[in-house]
Amino acid sequence: MKYTEISEKSREELEKMLKEKKMELFELKLKLKTMQLTNPNEIRACRKDIARIKTAISAQKNA
């Protein structure tokens, strides 16, 4: 997911996406603890997506 895709969305959509990504991160961490996660790099990608979404939200607040 690229920042340009995220920045075009409305604030409500961003809040919804953020909630979904946080839930996805929780599930990935749970799978990691139970040894069911095959690719641990998915956690890193999810965290970066969360950071991009938070950046877009703060940019909209300041604009």
Side-chain angles (χ1 to χ4, degrees), residues 1-60:
M1 183 178 308
K2 297 198 179 223
Y3 181 75
T4 53
E5 298 169 7
I6 295 171
S7 62
E8 297 169 351
K9 298 192 183 284
S10 69
R11 185 159 179 204
E12 293 80 23
E13 290 175 317
L14 290 174
E15 294 289 342
K16 184 180 176 188
M17 285 175 58
L18 181 63
K19 190 173 184 179
E20 290 171 358
K21 282 292 180 181
K22 284 186 176 184
M23 193 63 191
E24 181 183 342
L25 180 63
F26 173 76
E27 291 172 2
L28 287 173
K29 286 182 178 181
L30 189 63
K31 286 181 180 179
L32 182 68
K33 295 290 183 186
T34 58
M35 304 296 280
Q36 294 176 350
L37 188 63
T38 56
N39 186 7
N41 290 331
E42 292 176 33
I43 293 175
R44 172 185 263 179
C46 189
R47 284 197 338 245
K48 287 187 177 192
D49 286 342
I50 290 172
R52 286 185 190 105
I53 294 169
K54 285 184 176 182
T55 301
I57 290 172
S58 67
Q60 285 183 358

